[in-house]
Amino acid sequence: MARPRFHRLPSAQQNAILDAASVEFSAHGFADASLNRIIESAGISKGAMYYYFDGKDDLYADVLRRVLERLLEDSGGLPDPVADTADGFWTAVEDYYVRLVRVLATSPDASALLRDWLTGTSASALREGQREAERAIRPWLEQLVTTGQELGAVRADLPTDLLLAVAMGMGQAMDTWMISRSPATLDIDDAVPALIGMMRAALGPASSPSS
Amino acid sequence: MARPRFHRLPSAQQNAILDAASVEFSAHGFADASLNRIIESAGISKGAMYYYFDGKDDLYADVLRRVLERLLEDSGGLPDPVADTADGFWTAVEDYYVRLVRVLATSPDASALLRDWLTGTSASALREGQREAERAIRPWLEQLVTTGQELGAVRADLPTDLLLAVAMGMGQAMDTWMISRSPATLDIDDAVPALIGMMRAALGPASSPSS
Amino acid sequence: MARPRFHRLPSAQQNAILDAASVEFSAHGFADASLNRIIESAGISKGAMYYYFDGKDDLYADVLRRVLERLLEDSGGLPDPVADTADGFWTAVEDYYVRLVRVLATSPDASALLRDWLTGTSASALREGQREAERAIRPWLEQLVTTGQELGAVRADLPTDLLLAVAMGMGQAMDTWMISRSPATLDIDDAVPALIGMMRAALGPASSPSS
Amino acid sequence: MARPRFHRLPSAQQNAILDAASVEFSAHGFADASLNRIIESAGISKGAMYYYFDGKDDLYADVLRRVLERLLEDSGGLPDPVADTADGFWTAVEDYYVRLVRVLATSPDASALLRDWLTGTSASALREGQREAERAIRPWLEQLVTTGQELGAVRADLPTDLLLAVAMGMGQAMDTWMISRSPATLDIDDAVPALIGMMRAALGPASSPSS
DNA sequence: AATGAATGAGAGTTCATTCAT
DNA sequence: GATGAATGAACTCTCATTCAT
C-alpha cells in the first residue's frame, strides 16, 4: 500500500497520480501498463513514484482500492437489514444493482479496472494487490448470499462460493455486454430487471422446472 | 492468420510450432508470452516465425483457432437436429456440456487459453486475434440459441447476444470454480446438471417468478 | 571524516549510526552498501546523515576508524617495549596475534569490514576513506617492523613496506582460511603458532637456506 | 559462458568487446562496472551484448577466462616434470614466477582483474563466474604444492589449502607492492628472488628456528 | 539543528521486429 | 525459402545527493 508520505501530499496531487495510474491500468491492464507513461502523465519524477509507492504492484493495489471504495460509496450500499422476505431480498438487490450499474456506466475506467481485477491475469506479482482488494469485497458478497439463503431467496443446496462465482459471472457478462453496446439497444432500466430476473431464476431455490 | 506457406509445412512441424506457442500462451497469457521462448522450444529460427506468421497476434489467432477446432471436434458436437422439444433441447445441451467439460478437464492448456481469450485483457493488439477466433465460434453458438428459442426452450424476449454472454459468463464461472477446487467437492457428473439447471432457469422462458 | 557536529551527539546515537553502517558495509562491501538502508536501520533522516557526514565515503572512513580503534584496544596492544631479544620479539608478536585473532573471531562484522578494506575493490571514491584509515594503523605497524629489525628479529635487507605488505598478505590469507573452515580443522591455538612460524621464517633474517 | 554465436564473430570484434569489458571490469571491479560503458566503448548495441552473453556475470566469466588463459600461455608454464630436487623445485618456481610477474607488469588490466577475482567481493551473482575460472587454475596450483611436498621442498605438516592461501597472499602482496611503486625501487630481477626466498622460508619444511 | 520530499541519471534486462544474406 | 545477427526502445527499479523549509 502507498507509503504514508503519499497520503500527506495535497490531495490534488494524490488524485493526479492515482488518476493517471487509473487511466493507464484500465487502458492496458496491469501487465501492459507502463509506469513510465503514468509518471509522465502524472507529471512526477520517476524517483517520486518510488518514493510514494513500493512498486507497480503497490500502485495498482492503491488504484484498485480507491475504485472499490468509490464504487461502494457512490452506489450507496444496501439497506440494513437487506430485507425480510425473499421477494424483498431480490427487490433490494435489483435496486442496488441498478445503482451500481449506473455508477459504472459513468466511469468506463472503473469498469475496465474492475474487469481486469475480476478476471485476474494472475501474473504472480499481481496477486498481492488482488488479495488486498479481494479481502475488502469478498466478505460483503458472502454475507449477502448467506442472508439470501436465510430468507429462502437463494438456493442452499449448492456451495456458497459457486453461487457467488456464477452470480459474478452473470453480472460481469452483463456489464461487458452493456458497455460494449455504445448505442444502448436496451437501457439500464430495462436491462437490469431482466438480468436480476435471470439471476433470481438461476440462484433462487429450484422450482419445478418450467416445462 | 498464418501465411499459406505455413500450411505447406509438414504437419509435424506445424504442430511443433503451434504446440510450443500453445504452451507459452496458456502459461503466461498473451501479453506476457515471449516469442523468443516459443521459437526456442519450437526449434525454429526467428526469421522463420516471421516468415510463417505476421507477428505475435497472428500466431495467437492461429493457436486459438486450433484449440477451438479441436475442442469442437473432441467434444463430438451436438446432434443434428439438436432436439425437437424444449426438454430435449436442454437434455442435449447438458449432454454436450458434460462432454465439453470432460475434454477441458484433460487439457489444462486449452482451458487456460480459452479463459485468456474469453476474458480478454484487451491489450489493443490482441483484439484482432480475438475477433478472428470469435468469428469461428460465434455463429455456432448463435445458431444454438436461436434453435433453443424456436423450440421454446430459451426466452425470446432478450437479445441473443445478451443471452449468449450470460450463458458464457455462467459457464466460465463454473469452469473456473471447478478448476480451482483441486479435490473436487462436487464432481463433474453432479456439477454439470446443477449448472445446466441454473442456466435453464436463467435462460428459459420467464416462468411466473418462484415466490 | 565525520563533521564535528557528529561527535557532539549523545554517544548512544553516534553508536546507533555507526553500528547500522557497520552492519551494512560488512554485509555488502562498500560499493554495494546502501545509504538508504543505513539511515533506515539507524532511524535517522536522510538529511541528518548528510548533516553529519560528507557522504558515503566519509561515513565509511569513520566506521573503519572505529573498527580499527576497537580492535587495537580490545586486543590489548603490545607490551612496551615489545621485547629485548629477537626471540622475545616473535613471542610477543605471536602472543599479540593470538589475542587479535580471538577478538576477530567474535566479531564477524569487523572481520568482514577489515577484509573489505584490506583488499580494497578500489572504486576510486573509496580510496580516500581508505587512506584515512590507513594513516591510523600504518605507523603502528611500521614501528613494529622497525623495532623487529633493530632487535635482529626481522631482516633489514628489504624495504619496510614490502615486509609489511607480505606480512599482511600472509595474515589475511590465514584469516580468510580460518574463517572459511567453519568446523575448524585447526584451532586458533595450533594455527597461530604455525602462521607466526611461517612469518618468522619469511621475515626473519635470511638464514642459510634449509636444504 | 559466451553463447556460441559470439565465437562466430570476426575475432577482431570479439576482442573489441572483451577488451572493452576487460578495461571496465579492471577499472571498477565487477560490481561497479557498467555494462552501458562497455557497450559504448565496444561500439555495439545493448541488444547485441545480450545476444552474445547471458548477462553481466557471463561476460565477466569470459573476460576472466581469457585473462587466465593468456597468462598461463604467455608465462610459458612450468617445466614438466617441475624438478627432481627440493632446490630444483624452488628454482623452477622462481623462474616461473619471474616470468609471470613480467607478464603482469606489462598488463595492468590483467593484474587488476586478477586481484578483483582473487579477493572476490563475493556478490552472490558473481560466484558462478568465479567458480568457473577457479576450476581452471586451482588444480594446477594444488598439483604444484603436492609436487613440492613430494620433493621435500614444501612442508607437509599443514593443510595444502592453507599453504596455498598463504603463498597466494604473499604473492598478491608482492604484486600489489610492485605495482604501486611506479618508479621501482627494486626491480623485478631483485625482487622476485627475494620474495621466492621468503616463500621458501615460509613454506619450506620447518628448519630449526633461526635463533 | 534537522528534516524528508524530490530528483534524474543510471542500473541490468527483455522484447518484437527487421533485413541482408 | 529460410536464416539468425542485430537493433534500440522500453521495461521496472535503486541510488547518492540536494535543498527549501
Side-chain angles (χ1 to χ4, degrees):
Chain A
M1 274 300 159
R3 301 229 167 78
R5 314 145 159 142
F6 176 69
H7 299 295
R8 282 198 291 274
L9 284 179
S11 57
Q13 200 175 347
Q14 289 187 39
N15 284 332
I17 295 174
L18 291 178
D19 287 346
S22 195
V23 167
E24 177 73 12
F25 282 127
S26 60
H28 302 283
F30 175 79
D32 283 354
S34 157
L35 273 192
N36 282 353
R37 280 191 295 255
I38 293 175
I39 63 168
E40 189 180 359
S41 87
I44 63 169
S45 72
K46 200 169 259 186
M49 178 59 85
Y50 281 88
Y51 186 59
Y52 297 135
F53 296 92
D54 218 36
K56 200 186 185 184
D57 300 12
D58 196 33
L59 175 59
Y60 182 74
D62 226 54
V63 165
L64 210 49
R65 194 171 50 76
R66 198 182 57 152
V67 163
L68 290 175
E69 276 169 4
R70 283 193 180 170
L71 219 56
L72 293 182
E73 185 181 341
D74 292 354
S75 60
L78 281 164
D80 182 26
V82 171
D84 48 14
T85 66
D87 274 337
F89 175 85
W90 284 110
T91 305
V93 167
E94 180 175 325
D95 236 51
Y96 175 70
Y97 196 67
V98 97
R99 273 179 281 136
L100 196 67
V101 170
R102 270 189 220 285
V103 171
L104 282 176
T106 67
S107 166
D109 274 13
S111 304
L113 224 31
L114 224 62
R115 184 156 37 261
D116 191 48
W117 171 53
L118 289 169
T119 60
T121 333
S122 90
S124 53
L126 182 60
R127 285 289 177 205
E128 266 189 74
Q130 281 203 351
R131 294 249 171 268
E132 185 80 39
E134 202 148 11
R135 260 196 292 278
I137 208 172
R138 199 88 201 196
W140 185 89
L141 285 171
E142 280 180 3
Q143 174 58 34
L144 186 61
V145 171
T146 305
T147 303
Q149 289 176 325
E150 284 165 3
L151 291 171
V154 174
R155 62 195 296 174
D157 59 337
L158 290 173
T160 305
D161 57 349
L162 173 56
L163 296 177
L164 215 65
V166 170
M168 282 175 56
M170 294 178 78
Q172 187 195 332
M174 193 197 185
D175 290 351
T176 308
W177 183 84
M178 289 189 66
I179 287 167
S180 63
R181 300 307 102 167
S182 23
T185 56
L186 207 62
D187 83 359
I188 293 181
D189 293 318
D190 294 334
V192 169
L195 179 71
I196 297 291
M198 286 194 278
M199 270 198 191
R200 182 177 185 169
L203 304 181
S207 59
S208 53
S210 55
S211 50
Chain B
M1 272 302 156
R3 301 228 166 79
R5 315 147 164 154
F6 176 69
H7 299 293
R8 283 199 290 275
L9 283 179
S11 61
Q13 199 175 347
Q14 290 186 38
N15 284 334
I17 295 174
L18 292 178
D19 286 347
S22 194
V23 167
E24 176 74 12
F25 282 126
S26 60
H28 302 286
F30 174 80
D32 286 351
S34 158
L35 272 193
N36 284 351
R37 280 189 296 254
I38 293 174
I39 63 160
E40 191 179 356
S41 86
I44 64 168
S45 73
K46 205 87 162 253
M49 178 59 84
Y50 280 87
Y51 186 63
Y52 296 133
F53 295 92
D54 214 37
K56 201 184 185 184
D57 300 11
D58 195 34
L59 175 60
Y60 182 73
D62 226 54
V63 165
L64 210 50
R65 194 171 51 76
R66 197 181 58 152
V67 162
L68 291 174
E69 277 169 5
R70 282 193 179 170
L71 217 58
L72 294 181
E73 185 180 340
D74 291 355
S75 61
L78 282 164
D80 182 27
V82 171
D84 48 14
T85 65
D87 273 338
F89 175 86
W90 284 109
T91 305
V93 168
E94 181 175 322
D95 239 48
Y96 176 69
Y97 196 68
V98 110
R99 272 178 280 135
L100 196 67
V101 169
R102 272 190 219 284
V103 171
L104 281 176
T106 67
S107 166
D109 273 13
S111 304
L113 224 32
L114 226 63
R115 184 156 35 264
D116 191 46
W117 170 54
L118 289 170
T119 60
T121 335
S122 88
S124 52
L126 181 60
R127 284 290 176 205
E128 269 188 70
Q130 281 203 350
R131 294 248 172 269
E132 188 78 43
E134 204 150 9
R135 260 196 292 278
I137 206 173
R138 201 88 200 198
W140 184 88
L141 284 171
E142 279 180 4
Q143 174 56 36
L144 185 61
V145 171
T146 304
T147 303
Q149 288 175 325
E150 284 165 3
L151 291 171
V154 175
R155 61 194 297 173
D157 59 337
L158 289 174
T160 306
D161 57 351
L162 173 56
L163 296 178
L164 217 65
V166 170
M168 283 174 54
M170 294 178 79
Q172 186 196 332
M174 195 196 187
D175 290 352
T176 308
W177 183 85
M178 288 188 67
I179 288 168
S180 63
R181 299 310 98 169
S182 24
T185 56
L186 209 60
D187 83 359
I188 291 181
D189 294 319
D190 295 334
V192 169
L195 179 70
I196 298 291
M198 286 195 276
M199 270 198 191
R200 181 176 186 169
L203 305 181
S207 61
S208 52
S210 55
S211 50
Chain C
M1 272 301 158
R3 302 228 167 79
R5 315 147 164 154
F6 176 69
H7 299 294
R8 283 198 291 274
L9 282 179
S11 62
Q13 200 174 346
Q14 290 186 37
N15 284 333
I17 295 174
L18 292 178
D19 285 346
S22 194
V23 168
E24 177 73 13
F25 282 126
S26 60
H28 302 286
F30 174 79
D32 285 352
S34 158
L35 272 193
N36 284 351
R37 281 191 295 255
I38 294 174
I39 63 161
E40 190 178 359
S41 86
I44 64 167
S45 74
K46 205 84 164 256
M49 179 60 85
Y50 280 87
Y51 186 64
Y52 296 133
F53 296 92
D54 214 37
K56 200 184 185 184
D57 300 10
D58 195 32
L59 174 60
Y60 182 73
D62 226 54
V63 165
L64 210 48
R65 193 171 50 76
R66 197 182 58 153
V67 162
L68 291 174
E69 276 169 5
R70 283 193 179 169
L71 218 57
L72 293 182
E73 185 180 341
D74 290 356
S75 61
L78 281 165
D80 183 26
V82 170
D84 48 13
T85 66
D87 273 339
F89 175 86
W90 284 109
T91 305
V93 167
E94 179 174 326
D95 237 50
Y96 176 69
Y97 195 68
V98 108
R99 274 179 279 135
L100 195 68
V101 170
R102 273 190 217 285
V103 171
L104 281 176
T106 67
S107 166
D109 273 14
S111 304
L113 226 32
L114 226 63
R115 183 155 37 264
D116 191 47
W117 170 54
L118 288 169
T119 60
T121 334
S122 89
S124 51
L126 181 62
R127 284 290 178 205
E128 270 187 69
Q130 282 203 350
R131 294 247 173 270
E132 187 78 41
E134 204 149 11
R135 259 197 293 278
I137 206 174
R138 201 86 200 199
W140 183 87
L141 284 171
E142 280 180 2
Q143 173 58 34
L144 185 61
V145 172
T146 305
T147 302
Q149 289 175 325
E150 284 165 4
L151 291 171
V154 175
R155 60 196 294 175
D157 59 337
L158 289 174
T160 306
D161 58 351
L162 173 57
L163 295 178
L164 216 65
V166 170
M168 283 174 56
M170 294 178 80
Q172 185 197 334
M174 193 196 188
D175 290 351
T176 308
W177 183 86
M178 288 188 67
I179 287 168
S180 64
R181 297 311 98 170
S182 22
T185 56
L186 210 59
D187 82 0
I188 293 182
D189 295 317
D190 293 335
V192 170
L195 180 70
I196 298 291
M198 286 194 276
M199 271 198 192
R200 181 177 186 168
L203 304 182
S207 62
S208 53
S210 57
S211 50
Chain D
M1 276 302 159
R3 301 227 167 80
R5 313 145 158 143
F6 176 70
H7 299 294
R8 283 198 291 273
L9 284 180
S11 58
Q13 199 174 347
Q14 290 187 38
N15 284 332
I17 295 174
L18 292 178
D19 287 345
S22 195
V23 168
E24 176 72 13
F25 282 127
S26 61
H28 302 283
F30 175 79
D32 284 353
S34 157
L35 273 191
N36 282 353
R37 279 190 296 254
I38 293 175
I39 63 168
E40 190 179 0
S41 87
I44 64 169
S45 72
K46 200 169 257 187
M49 177 59 85
Y50 279 87
Y51 186 60
Y52 297 135
F53 296 91
D54 218 38
K56 201 185 185 183
D57 300 10
D58 195 34
L59 175 59
Y60 182 74
D62 225 54
V63 165
L64 209 49
R65 194 172 50 77
R66 197 182 57 152
V67 162
L68 291 175
E69 276 171 3
R70 284 193 179 169
L71 218 56
L72 292 182
E73 185 181 342
D74 292 355
S75 61
L78 281 163
D80 182 26
V82 171
D84 50 13
T85 65
D87 273 338
F89 175 85
W90 285 109
T91 305
V93 168
E94 180 175 324
D95 236 49
Y96 176 68
Y97 195 69
V98 97
R99 272 178 281 135
L100 195 67
V101 170
R102 270 190 221 284
V103 171
L104 281 177
T106 67
S107 165
D109 274 12
S111 305
L113 225 31
L114 225 62
R115 183 155 37 260
D116 191 46
W117 171 54
L118 288 169
T119 60
T121 334
S122 91
S124 53
L126 182 61
R127 284 291 177 204
E128 266 188 74
Q130 281 203 353
R131 293 252 171 264
E132 185 81 39
E134 202 149 11
R135 260 197 293 278
I137 208 173
R138 198 88 200 197
W140 184 88
L141 285 171
E142 279 180 2
Q143 174 57 36
L144 186 61
V145 171
T146 305
T147 302
Q149 289 176 325
E150 284 165 2
L151 290 171
V154 174
R155 61 197 294 175
D157 59 337
L158 289 173
T160 306
D161 57 350
L162 173 56
L163 296 178
L164 216 64
V166 169
M168 282 174 57
M170 295 178 79
Q172 186 195 335
M174 193 195 187
D175 291 351
T176 309
W177 182 86
M178 289 189 68
I179 287 167
S180 63
R181 305 302 104 171
S182 20
T185 57
L186 207 61
D187 85 358
I188 292 183
D189 294 319
D190 295 334
V192 169
L195 179 71
I196 298 291
M198 287 194 276
M199 271 199 192
R200 181 176 186 169
L203 305 182
S207 61
S208 53
S210 56
S211 46

